Amino acid sequence: MLGEQANLLESSAWLHDIGYTPDLATTGFHPLDGARYLRDVQEADELLVSLVAYHSCAVVEAEERGLLDVLKGEFAPPPDDLLDALNYSDMTTGPDGTHLPVERRLSEILERYPPEHLVHRSISRSSPLLTASVRSVQQRLAEVG
């Protein structure tokens, strides 16, 4: 479905949470920390870095953290179709690697954080967009068989 960009998507799926690594966590916002590491240390492909920076509606959490201008200032957003595909991968896979419906994955994330936590607020705000990303990919998968 993604043709030449399939390897790029696979790489982004493996690397999208690299910013959680304690040695890389400078801001505490894993999409930004991971993207900076991939850009500055690994000199990774710009599109890969962009996917990591923007995965799973990172702009919403960046806004909650007061880092939206930083994120947008350092990284250009990736193409919607690739971001949807990465969001699909992230939002249909549980922490233990099991395949989940998007609704269950979102619930699982919300259950880990109390309602006042910024991740809970971000995921609550992002849920319609993340669900739409997943549905978009599911539709494209159905069309290509």
Side-chain angles (χ1 to χ4, degrees), residues 56-58 60-61 106 121-131:
S56 300
C57 291
V60 175
E61 187 174 335
L106 292 167
R121 291 192 310 266
S122 299
I123 290 297
S124 294
R125 288 177 51 203
S126 303
S127 289
L129 298 170
L130 292 168
T131 301

Side-chain angles (χ1 to χ4, degrees), residues 102-113:
V102 62
E103 297 81 7
R104 179 66 197 121
R105 175 71 166 125
L106 292 167
S107 293
E108 177 273 317
I109 296 168
L110 292 173
E111 289 166 7
R112 282 190 275 143
Y113 298 93

Side-chain angles (χ1 to χ4, degrees), residues 4-19:
E4 294 176 7
Q5 295 179 320
N7 288 337
L8 172 69
L9 176 64
E10 183 177 355
S11 296
S12 69
W14 281 104
L15 293 169
H16 74 278
D17 282 344
I18 195 169

Side-chain angles (χ1 to χ4, degrees), residues 42-104:
Q42 296 300 317
E43 299 178 1
D45 177 84
E46 185 178 336
L47 192 48
L48 172 64
V49 171
S50 177
L51 285 164
V52 169
Y54 282 86
H55 79 276
S56 300
C57 291
V59 294
V60 175
E61 187 174 335
E63 184 177 50
E64 288 280 339
R65 292 177 177 271
L67 293 171
L68 184 58
D69 290 340
V70 174
L71 179 68
K72 287 183 170 185
E74 289 190 40
F75 303 101
D80 288 339
D81 63 332
L82 290 176
L83 188 56
D84 282 346
L86 178 55
N87 290 343
Y88 172 87
S89 298
D90 192 21
M91 291 296 122
T92 60
T93 306
D96 62 356
T98 58
H99 185 73
L100 301 171
V102 62
E103 297 81 7
R104 179 66 197 121

